[in-house]
Amino acid sequence: MVSLAKSRSLRISGTTVARTPIALPSYSSLALADEGLPDAIARTLEIVVGPVLISAYDLHKGYFEAARASYGTSVFDSPLIFIDSGGYELLSACNPEWSSDLHAQVLAAWPETSQTVAVAYDTPSADLGAQIDAALSILPGRSIGRELLVKLPPEPSIDMLNLVPHLRGKEGDLAKIDVIGVTEKEAGDTLRERLHSISALRRTLDSMGLETPIHVFGGLDPVLTPLYFLAGADIFDGLTWLRYGFDNGRASYLQALALTQHPLLPVPDAKWTVRKKNYSEVTLMQISMLRFLTSGRPSDLHPQGDFLVRLFNDLMAGVS
C-alpha cells in the first residue's frame, strides 16, 4: 500500500496554527501517582517548549495551579495546548466524581492565553451523531479547536473498521470539527487492525474532501508512531516519555536505562534525567517524520526505517 503520510494543517477558527505531524507529550496524574503531577511539571517544563496534552480532570483537581503556586512553572504558556476529556483518569476507581457537567465547567473557565484544542467528553454509549454533536457544542462562540473523539459503542460486534464508514453523509458537521481522534486501543486489538482502521479513517475523510488531522490517543511511541504516521495519522500523544526510556528508536524499561546511563545519580534523579532526554527524542521523532516526507527514505523516518516500512507494507497488503 502507498503511504498516506502527509503534512496537514491544524486549523482553529479557520486559521492554521500548526502543521502536522505533531508528537504530543502528555501529562496525567494517573500515570504519575507516585511522583506527583506538580513535581513532574516543575522538572520538565524548562525543556518542554512545544505543544502538550493535559487532562481536563487534572485541571479540575487543580494540579496545574498547584505546580504554578509551588514551583512557579506552568503549562499555560505553551504555544498549543490539547485538553483531553478526562476519560483516561476515570480508569482510577478513586475518581468517580468526574462528569460531563464538570468537564464543561473546566472548559468554560479556560483562559484564552494559548491556542487550544478541546476534546469532547467521552460518550461511548452514544451513536456517532451524538458524538459529533458533543464535539460541535464545545464552547460555542469561542476561538477554540474542537476535537471529536470517536468512541466505539458497547456492542462487541462493532469495531473501529466497521464504525468508520458511518461517518459518510456527515460531511457538513465534520467540516466544522478541527481534529478527529481515536484511541490506540479502540483502533484495534492487533497492529494490523489498528493500521487498517487508521488508514480507513484517513481514506474516508479524504473521499469527503476533508483534510482534518487524525489524532491517535496513546500513540506516542518510538516504533509505533512512524507506523501510524504511514497509515495516515497526524497527531500522536502519550505518556511513554514519562514511563519509559527512549534510546535509539526504542522504548526501554525506565529504571534500568536510567541507572545504566547515570550510575552515580540517585534513582529519582536518574529517571528524570532520562525523561528530559526523552522529550528531545520526541522532538527528533517529529523532525524525522517531516524529513521522510521530503526524502521518502525509510532511514530518515526511523533508525530501523527499512524494517518498519517493510512491516507496514506487509500488514497493509491488499488495501487500496
Side-chain angles (χ1 to χ4, degrees):
M1 177 187 177
V2 177
S3 163
L4 295 172
K6 183 179 177 180
S7 180
R8 299 178 175 87
S9 294
L10 171 58
R11 301 170 66 84
I12 294 177
S13 299
T15 300
T16 298
V17 299
R19 295 287 299 180
T20 69
I22 299 173
L24 197 62
S26 305
Y27 290 91
S28 171
S29 58
L30 182 56
L32 292 161
D34 296 332
E35 294 165 290
L37 184 54
D39 184 53
I41 296 168
R43 286 179 178 267
T44 59
L45 275 191
E46 62 180 320
I47 51 101
V48 175
V49 295
V52 297
L53 181 142
I54 63 178
S55 167
Y57 175 83
D58 290 336
L59 284 169
H60 165 65
K61 297 296 288 186
Y63 294 127
F64 295 101
E65 289 293 350
R68 180 154 56 180
S70 299
Y71 302 102
T73 54
S74 173
V75 299
F76 300 117
D77 297 325
S78 297
L80 177 61
I81 299 175
F82 285 69
I83 304 178
D84 195 7
S85 62
Y88 177 75
E89 284 68 30
L90 279 179
L91 294 174
S92 169
C94 300
N95 302 333
E97 74 273 20
W98 189 236
S99 67
S100 59
D101 288 340
L102 288 174
H103 175 254
Q105 290 174 28
V106 166
L107 295 184
W110 179 253
E112 295 191 42
T113 55
S114 300
Q115 298 285 2
T116 304
V117 175
V119 182
Y121 189 79
D122 292 8
T123 52
S125 61
D127 64 19
L128 270 178
Q131 293 182 36
I132 292 170
D133 289 343
L136 292 174
S137 67
I138 295 172
L139 298 181
R142 288 268 303 268
S143 180
I144 190 169
R146 294 165 179 83
E147 177 165 354
L148 165 66
L149 175 57
V150 178
K151 298 291 292 180
L152 293 177
E155 293 84 354
S157 59
I158 300 178
D159 58 22
M160 191 61 66
L161 202 56
N162 300 139
L163 190 64
V164 165
H166 293 279
L167 291 171
R168 297 188 186 279
K170 299 177 171 58
E171 294 92 331
D173 286 337
L174 291 175
K176 303 172 188 175
I177 290 171
D178 302 294
V179 182
I180 295 179
V182 294
T183 66
E184 181 184 41
K185 291 183 178 179
E186 288 196 335
D189 293 329
T190 67
L191 178 57
R192 183 178 185 274
E193 289 175 357
R194 292 175 182 181
L195 295 177
H196 281 228
S197 294
I198 292 168
S199 68
L201 177 56
R202 180 74 270 157
R203 286 181 284 109
T204 298
L205 294 174
D206 289 348
S207 72
M208 295 189 289
L210 300 176
E211 284 279 291
T212 312
I214 295 174
H215 178 178
V216 180
F217 286 81
L220 185 64
D221 177 272
V223 173
L224 296 177
T225 294
L227 291 169
Y228 297 148
F229 178 59
L230 292 173
D234 306 278
I235 302 169
F236 316 88
D237 88 83
L239 295 158
T240 49
W241 74 291
L242 294 173
R243 288 173 161 169
Y244 298 93
F246 293 175
D247 186 48
N248 194 32
R250 295 186 180 276
S252 303
Y253 176 53
L254 177 61
Q255 181 168 286
L257 187 64
L259 289 180
T260 53
Q261 290 188 347
H262 307 283
L264 302 182
L265 291 180
V267 173
D269 293 337
K271 289 166 69 175
W272 281 111
T273 300
V274 169
R275 285 165 170 155
K276 289 180 179 180
K277 180 177 178 293
N278 286 350
Y279 180 74
S280 299
E281 294 294 322
V282 168
T283 303
L284 288 173
M285 190 188 310
Q286 184 170 298
I287 293 171
S288 296
M289 288 186 283
L290 286 169
R291 187 181 295 121
F292 170 76
L293 288 179
T294 300
S295 72
R297 291 191 297 265
S299 59
D300 284 338
L301 179 65
H302 189 274
Q304 288 79 46
D306 288 332
F307 165 74
L308 290 183
V309 170
R310 286 198 306 272
L311 175 62
F312 175 79
N313 288 332
D314 288 345
L315 293 174
M316 298 300 290
V319 177
S320 57

